[in-house]
Amino acid sequence: MLVRNRECAYLKQWGQPASQEEYRQQVPLTDYEALTPWIGRIASGEESVLFQGTPVAFEKTGGSSGGSKLIPYTSEGLEDFRRAILPWLADVANRHHFTGSAYFSLSPACRTREQIAGIPVGLSDIAYIGEAAASIIAQVSAVPPSIGELTDHDEWRKQTLHYLRQASDLELLSAWSPTFLLRLFEGEPTSSLWPRMKVISCWTGGASAEFSGMLQPMFPHVVIEPKGLMSTEAAVTIPDSEGNPVLVDAGFTEFRRGSSVILCDELQPGCEYEVVVTTASGLYRYCTGDIVRFEGRNQTGRSILRFLGRQGLVSDLVGEKLTESFVAHCLQDIVGFCMLVPNGSGDGYSLVTDRSAPEISIETAEKRLMENPQYAYARTLGQLKALASVQVSNPWERYEHYQVEQGVRLGDIKPVALRGERHWVQWFGGRS
């Protein structure tokens, strides 16, 4: 990557490092805010800014502060995604002896088609796996790829279910977010429709753990295999043959803990780290905000990294600094949708849950939040009001609608336990 992009503006600024040692010494850690001016130059049509030439596409993803982020992709960056995804797909197919059909999440193209500097915004699902693999997958897909081009959400769901109901030999469901599958199959007699179902692959870590668990009763005899840690920015882990999330062999990955930034051979078992990635699509020492725990190495020596939550999702009203991973732990026993948000006045927090879910104990949630000493101190001083309950109808649909409006692909929307913006109580239409 350093050789290929040596003449780009960004690496020129940092002395055109030619080795790993020079790179880590000369190029600083960064985040999206720091890269925004550089991405803006690409969006205005300038070439060779973060990498040689121009991107093949942009993709939008949700930002931790409420807006959307624009991420450029190069052909080499997409190839790295394939190097992570395709071996895993082949391994799943071989281990479970697939002979029937499969469904691979095809998000509806609900977003307005647009271009920036003549470059398309948004990629098809096929773009991530390549034409060769796509032709193979098309042969076993229960749903035609063309369904993913439908722009009307209701029509997309109707057509998707139409084809799936006819696929009595369906053996595999693959989607990123478990909420995508829960919404798709809402009200469907899943057990009787697909008696040959073997595997569901989806996110199972962090705030997705609760929702992936809700899939098991719908498919009682099915193995739910975790997806790796993959985001719009980078592929970080994929499951190995035993379901362990292992570091991918693509890009360049570092790990930050406090003021130290280390390589994978320096990881300590049981310790938690923020993932720092360098990608072929022009993200250099990019702090992802994803927190992982190092759990040793698998039989082939690859690092096992368990996703815990997002560090980038932080709420700090009066110095309490609540992180998403901590809040997810506090709320882990709550059934269904739950999200901690600041109340409308910003002097306390509200817990948004589904009105149809079982009754929850606000006192228990508050007690767990008090394990954060800064939160407990602020409550004792009266800087923060007591935790309030906000129960609303269809909260996930409302959150989903907001994210789609921000340009996020439907199948990429992740459940989160914490958002720090102050508009959420009003957006959900609830009252504290």
Side-chain angles (χ1 to χ4, degrees):
M1 286 189 285
L2 293 177
V3 171
R4 183 171 59 245
N5 297 324
R6 179 176 174 80
E7 298 300 320
C8 77
Y10 190 82
L11 289 182
K12 279 185 176 181
Q13 172 171 299
W14 304 112
Q16 295 176 299
S19 68
Q20 182 185 124
E21 292 73 21
E22 289 180 359
Y23 176 67
R24 299 184 71 204
Q25 290 173 4
Q26 296 169 209
V27 178
L29 298 178
T30 190
D31 57 19
Y32 187 78
E33 184 178 0
L35 288 181
T36 296
W38 300 87
I39 295 175
R41 289 167 61 176
I42 298 174
S44 67
E46 186 177 342
E47 295 187 8
S48 300
V49 179
L50 291 171
F51 41 77
Q52 279 300 104
T54 58
V56 296
F58 291 103
E59 187 60 276
K60 286 184 177 180
T61 184
S64 60
S65 60
S68 60
K69 298 186 292 186
L70 191 67
I71 305 296
Y73 279 163
T74 64
S75 57
E76 292 86 4
L78 286 174
E79 182 60 32
D80 277 349
F81 274 97
R82 293 171 197 141
R83 289 175 63 191
I85 295 171
L86 297 183
W88 163 75
L89 278 175
D91 177 65
V92 171
N94 290 331
R95 280 191 289 114
H96 294 280
H97 310 289
F98 287 127
T99 58
S101 62
Y103 173 64
F104 299 93
S105 160
L106 297 173
S107 302
C110 296
R111 299 174 295 177
T112 303
R113 294 182 183 275
E114 59 178 309
Q115 291 191 342
I116 296 177
I119 297 165
V121 177
L123 287 164
S124 68
D125 296 86
I126 291 174
Y128 287 94
I129 59 175
E131 293 292 339
S135 64
I136 297 172
I137 288 175
Q139 297 175 29
V140 299
S141 178
V143 178
S146 59
I147 299 301
E149 298 302 315
L150 294 175
T151 56
D152 180 84
H153 179 274
D154 291 336
E155 183 62 22
W156 161 80
R157 184 175 187 270
K158 176 183 175 182
Q159 291 296 325
T160 298
L161 287 175
H162 167 74
Y163 284 102
L164 287 175
R165 290 185 188 117
Q166 297 182 44
S168 59
D169 64 341
L170 191 67
E171 294 183 352
L172 167 67
L173 292 173
S174 177
W176 294 113
S177 177
T179 57
F180 178 89
L181 296 174
L182 289 170
R183 294 265 281 123
L184 177 62
F185 296 129
E186 189 174 3
E188 293 293 310
T190 50
S191 297
S192 58
L193 276 175
W194 301 293
R196 290 176 53 178
M197 183 70 67
K198 295 179 178 178
V199 178
I200 295 176
S201 173
C202 64
W203 286 318
T204 62
S208 292
E210 168 70 25
F211 295 98
S212 61
M214 294 168 66
L215 286 169
Q216 196 72 73
M218 299 169 61
F219 300 91
H221 304 297
V222 168
V223 174
I224 297 180
E225 289 205 352
K227 280 267 197 284
L229 175 53
M230 292 196 185
S231 64
T232 303
E233 290 88 344
V236 179
T237 66
I238 56 170
D240 65 8
S241 59
E242 296 181 347
N244 297 310
V246 295
L247 185 64
V248 302
D249 182 23
F252 177 64
T253 311
E254 299 169 272
F255 302 89
R256 180 164 73 169
R257 181 177 172 84
S259 59
S260 299
V261 183
I262 63 176
L263 299 176
C264 65
D265 59 356
E266 302 171 278
L267 294 169
Q268 296 297 311
C271 290
E272 298 176 9
Y273 303 89
E274 179 185 7
V275 177
V276 179
V277 299
T278 295
T279 74
S281 289
L283 301 182
Y284 297 98
R285 306 198 77 195
Y286 181 88
C287 299
T288 65
D290 293 322
I291 304 301
V292 297
R293 182 175 59 239
F294 176 59
E295 298 185 349
R297 306 185 191 281
N298 70 357
Q299 293 181 347
T300 62
R302 299 176 71 177
S303 300
I304 301 173
L305 302 168
R306 188 78 54 188
F307 174 67
L308 301 179
R310 294 276 300 160
Q311 178 170 289
L313 296 176
V314 178
S315 184
D316 187 16
L317 300 178
V318 295
E320 70 280 8
K321 292 184 174 60
L322 295 178
T323 65
E324 201 263 344
S325 56
F326 169 73
V327 172
H329 173 72
C330 293
L331 307 180
Q332 61 183 341
D333 296 332
I334 297 177
V335 176
F337 184 97
C338 60
M339 191 165 79
L340 189 74
V341 299
N343 63 25
S345 56
D347 57 1
Y349 287 90
S350 296
L351 182 58
V352 181
T353 58
D354 194 324
R355 183 171 288 137
S356 63
E359 192 74 21
I360 64 167
S361 171
I362 284 293
E363 292 75 19
T364 299
E366 176 88 308
K367 182 179 179 181
R368 291 180 176 177
L369 290 172
M370 297 279 273
E371 293 174 9
N372 175 313
Q374 287 79 25
Y375 180 89
Y377 184 65
R379 286 284 293 111
T380 300
L381 294 182
Q383 292 176 297
L384 293 176
K385 291 181 177 178
L387 181 63
S389 174
V390 174
Q391 293 184 306
V392 298
S393 299
N394 305 315
W396 175 256
E397 292 181 33
R398 300 183 191 209
Y399 181 71
E400 193 178 68
H401 177 67
Y402 176 87
Q403 292 287 63
V404 169
E405 282 192 344
Q406 300 303 308
V408 182
R409 289 155 54 98
L410 183 65
D412 293 346
I413 299 172
K414 303 175 183 176
V416 293
L418 172 72
R419 292 299 296 249
E421 305 90 350
R422 300 188 184 184
H423 61 71
W424 284 108
V425 172
Q426 181 179 0
W427 173 265
F428 281 115
R431 295 180 180 177
S432 299

